[in-house]
């Protein structure tokens, strides 16, 4: 920048001094100095000149002008001409020299602007380039069909909220129009640090779904902060995140619903093992519910080990992961007679299916708590390989078992013999395009799912299959078709029945229009 400043200074001073000299030989030199000083000050204020450079130029302008000297000049009479009093002599700069200096300054400014990203057509400041927006909008028509032979079911959530026995709908069909809108901002601070915030529609009492049901008498939608986190990355092998963030585990919706976000802190190490294999190790500590007693806070601690495979020559990809997820202090505890000391052990959110028992000391005000511990061992695998016509086959298998279930302890809490129903699995096959990115992309898929009563925590598993919860088995059929860039239509049919509990069969039909941006 130093050469630029020197040239700018020279041109500026020449222009400032030459103009009054050419206009009127008897112009007042003080007026010229004042105009020049004002010009320099304005250039400093606008950031064209650095402050120290501007100060130096102002000092030069303030110096008294040297007394004019007589210069010999050949004239018609051969006599020496003496400069008129008060006149200012200006060194003449040829036009080609001025043009050369101007071109050099322009080139240096252009190079600096390109390097620093502060000028040029279509160029935005660096801080703007470090912001990345993402979002999606989904419109859904959903129809829930209940079998006429369904038995009555207790609503755990409504019973605990109302402190009176409440039943859920098991017989009346339901039609709904729903919308899900999400928009997120990711900010890259530097090569290591970044932060993100995401807003979504939905409910502040349902952590699983961001759907907003239409038909609220034209009332406005609720917008909530779904994610707010800070992330640290070290190359492509380590990253850590803290705050509220997306699911860090490799898996399916068998254990956790797709829209579920997590609070806490997580770290992942992904070392490169070979040219085709990369390992991963993920650990996390996630608060589920904070209570006033620190020793009674509910937590999820988890770890997962696995590896991913990528063979670019044959376009084959695969991934496998083994995880252990330990829920702490989730067990319901009975309060002593006349006391509510253990009421906090009741879950703040629940769906249906797990084994519950009444932990209230007042029979007239029932409060349901979990009767089992949940320590989950989860094995997930997926393989993705090409098929004919450029389409792909994606096979996924997911298995989980609850190692925390104790038949003796659970039966004692409930007061009757409770059988061990602690395993779950899901098998899924998809054919077509992996993602709906362009018009005419498509995919069809089929899945079978079986989730026994206490295999997973019913509060956090998928909320669409048999309308959420555990003690469910059945199949899922669906497909997607690309309507345009990042725009697709989809259909899902989910049919679920109970496994060991009272009869409850529910068929769910979903028609979606998805737009990503």
């Amino acid at each position: 920048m130093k050469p630029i400043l020197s040239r700018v200074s020279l041109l500026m001073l020449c222009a400032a001094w030459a103009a009054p000299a050419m206009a009127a030989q008897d112009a007042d030199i003080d007026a010229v100095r004042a105009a020049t000083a004002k010009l320099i000050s304005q250039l400093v204020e606008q950031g064209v000149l650095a402050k120290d450079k501007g100060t130096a130029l102002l000092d030069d302008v303030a110096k008294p002008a040297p007394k004019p000297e007589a210069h010999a000049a050949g004239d018609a009479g051969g006599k020496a001409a003496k400069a008129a009093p008060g006149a200012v002599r200006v060194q003449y700069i040829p036009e080609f020299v001025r043009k050369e200096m101007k071109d050099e300054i322009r080139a240096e400014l252009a190079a600096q602007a390109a390097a620093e990203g502060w000028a040029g057509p279509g160029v935005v400041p660096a801080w703007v380039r470090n912001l990345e927006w993402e979002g999606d909008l989904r419109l859904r028509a959903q129809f829930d069909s209940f079998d006429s032979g369904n038995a009555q079911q207790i609503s755990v959530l409504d019973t605990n909220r109302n402190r009176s026995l409440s039943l859920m709908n098991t017989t009346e069909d339901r039609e709904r129009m729903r919308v899900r809108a999400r928009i997120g901002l990711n900010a890259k601070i530097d090569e290591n640090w970044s932060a993100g915030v995401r807003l979504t529609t939905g409910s502040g009492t349902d952590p699983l779904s961001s759907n907003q049901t239409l038909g609220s008498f034209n009332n406005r939608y609720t917008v909530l902060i779904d994610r707010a986190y800070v992330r640290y990355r070290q190359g492509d092998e380590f990253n850590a995140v803290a705050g509220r963030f997306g699911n860090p585990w490799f898996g399916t919706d068998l254990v956790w619903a797709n829209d579920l976000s997590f609070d806490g802190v997580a770290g992942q190490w992904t070392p490169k093992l070979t040219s085709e294999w990369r390992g991963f190790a993920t650990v996390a500590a996630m608060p589920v519910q904070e209570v006033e007693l620190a020793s009674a806070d509910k937590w999820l601690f988890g770890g997962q080990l696995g590896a991913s495979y990528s063979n670019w020559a044959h376009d084959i990809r695969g991934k496998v992961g083994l995880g252990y997820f330990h829920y702490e202090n989730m067990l319901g505890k009975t309060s002593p007679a006349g006391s509510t000391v253990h009421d906090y052990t009741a879950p703040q959110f629940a769906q249906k299916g797990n084994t519950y028992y009444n932990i209230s000391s007042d029979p007239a005000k029932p409060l349901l708590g979990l009767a089992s511990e949940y320590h989950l061992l989860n094995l997930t695998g997926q393989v993705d390989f090409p098929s004919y016509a450029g389409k792909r086959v994606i096979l996924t298998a997911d298995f989980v078992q609850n190692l925390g279930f104790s038949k003796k302890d659970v039966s004692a809490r409930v007061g009757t013999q409770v059988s061990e129903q602690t395993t779950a699995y899901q098998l899924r096959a998809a054919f077509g395009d992996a993602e709906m990115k362009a018009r005419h992309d498509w995919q069809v898929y089929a899945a079978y799912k079986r989730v026994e009563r206490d295999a997973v925590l019913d509060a956090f598993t998928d909320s669409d299959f048999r309308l959420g919860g555990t003690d469910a088995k059945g199949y899922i059929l669906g497909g997607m078709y690309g309507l345009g860039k990042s725009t697709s239509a989809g259909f899902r049919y989910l049919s679920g029945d109970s496994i060991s509990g009272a009869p409850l069969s529910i068929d769910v039909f979903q028609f979606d229009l998805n737009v990503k941006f």
Side-chain angles (χ1 to χ4, degrees), residues 92 296 312 462:
Y92 173 70
W312 298 108
D462 177 33

Side-chain angles (χ1 to χ4, degrees), residues 395-462:
L395 304 177
T396 308
D398 202 1
F399 173 83
V400 62
Q401 182 167 6
N402 178 16
L403 305 179
F405 185 90
S406 169
K407 181 178 179 179
K408 177 182 177 181
D409 295 340
V410 172
S411 298
R413 295 184 186 106
V414 175
T416 185
Q417 287 295 314
V418 179
S419 61
E420 186 171 336
Q421 298 280 331
T422 59
T423 61
Y425 65 88
Q426 178 173 230
L427 304 174
R428 186 179 188 273
F431 175 70
D433 296 288
E435 296 181 85
M436 301 296 103
K437 293 183 177 180
R439 188 178 182 184
H440 302 313
D441 286 349
W442 59 270
Q443 183 188 105
V444 293
Y445 56 86
Y448 182 81
K449 180 184 288 189
R450 179 185 172 92
V451 189
E452 294 181 347
R453 182 179 59 242
D454 291 304
V456 298
L457 203 62
D458 70 27
F460 299 136
T461 189
D462 177 33

Side-chain angles (χ1 to χ4, degrees), residues 72 198 208 251 330:
R198 188 171 80 173
L208 304 183
M330 299 295 290

Side-chain angles (χ1 to χ4, degrees), residues 352-353 451-453 466 469-473 497-502:
K352 59 180 180 293
V451 189
E452 294 181 347
R453 182 179 59 242
R466 210 181 65 134
T470 62
D471 188 36
K473 63 179 181 180
D497 304 307
S498 59
I499 297 176
S500 61

Side-chain angles (χ1 to χ4, degrees), residues 118-382:
W118 49 265
V123 177
V124 295
W127 69 268
V128 176
R129 297 198 306 271
N130 289 335
L131 299 180
E132 179 181 343
W133 291 93
E134 62 178 3
D136 65 274
L137 181 66
R138 183 181 70 194
L139 304 178
R140 168 172 289 177
Q142 180 168 326
F143 177 65
D144 305 329
S145 176
F146 296 85
D147 190 90
S148 58
N150 288 344
Q152 291 184 332
Q153 297 276 340
I154 295 175
S155 172
V156 177
L157 192 58
D158 290 337
T159 296
N160 288 353
R161 286 174 178 172
N162 303 328
R163 297 304 298 266
S164 64
L165 195 63
S166 303
L167 301 177
M168 67 176 63
N169 173 35
T170 59
T171 57
E172 297 297 326
D173 295 345
R174 185 179 186 184
E175 298 176 359
R176 285 178 284 179
M177 296 290 294
R178 316 182 83 182
V179 62
R180 182 188 70 181
R182 301 183 296 191
I183 184 167
L185 174 64
N186 299 312
K188 182 180 179 182
I189 311 303
D190 58 26
E191 63 179 4
N192 300 118
W193 292 94
S194 63
V197 177
R198 188 171 80 173
L199 303 179
T200 182
T201 52
S203 167
T205 58
D206 184 352
L208 304 183
S209 175
S210 297
N211 289 312
Q212 174 74 47
T213 298
L214 281 64
S216 57
F217 221 77
N218 291 335
N219 211 340
R220 297 174 180 83
Y221 301 157
T222 300
V223 177
L224 305 165
I225 295 179
D226 181 44
R227 293 180 184 174
Y229 61 86
V230 174
R231 186 181 297 276
Y232 175 82
R233 290 186 182 276
Q234 186 64 48
D236 63 348
E237 291 195 352
F238 176 79
N239 82 90
V241 61
R244 181 171 177 83
F245 45 87
N247 190 342
W249 316 110
F250 167 58
T252 69
D253 61 7
L254 185 65
V255 181
W256 293 292
N258 291 328
D259 281 357
L260 181 65
S261 294
F262 292 82
D263 300 334
V265 58
Q268 186 174 66
W269 179 46
T270 56
K272 189 172 183 180
L273 306 178
T274 68
S275 60
E276 297 178 340
W277 286 93
R278 181 180 288 273
F280 66 89
T282 307
V283 294
M286 303 169 171
V288 177
Q289 179 184 346
E290 192 275 334
V291 297
E292 292 185 5
L293 304 175
S295 60
D297 289 346
K298 300 178 183 181
W299 285 83
L300 167 61
F301 300 101
Q304 187 179 50
L305 296 174
S308 59
Y309 173 81
S310 296
N311 186 319
W312 298 108
H314 298 88
D315 198 16
I316 299 175
R317 295 183 286 273
K319 196 170 187 178
V320 61
L322 178 65
Y324 176 72
F325 310 110
H326 184 101
Y327 285 98
E328 189 73 22
N329 295 327
M330 299 295 290
L331 185 67
K333 297 181 180 180
T334 304
S335 295
S339 172
T340 60
V341 66
H342 290 153
D343 283 6
Y344 71 88
T345 63
Q348 289 184 317
F349 179 78
Q351 297 193 88
K352 59 180 180 293
N354 287 161
T355 302
Y356 293 89
Y357 76 113
N358 188 11
I359 63 174
S360 175
S361 62
D362 185 353
K365 295 182 178 181
L367 187 65
L368 303 180
L370 291 165
S372 174
E373 301 276 11
Y374 290 87
H375 307 154
L376 311 180
L377 184 66
N378 181 214
L379 177 63
T380 308
Q382 184 178 83

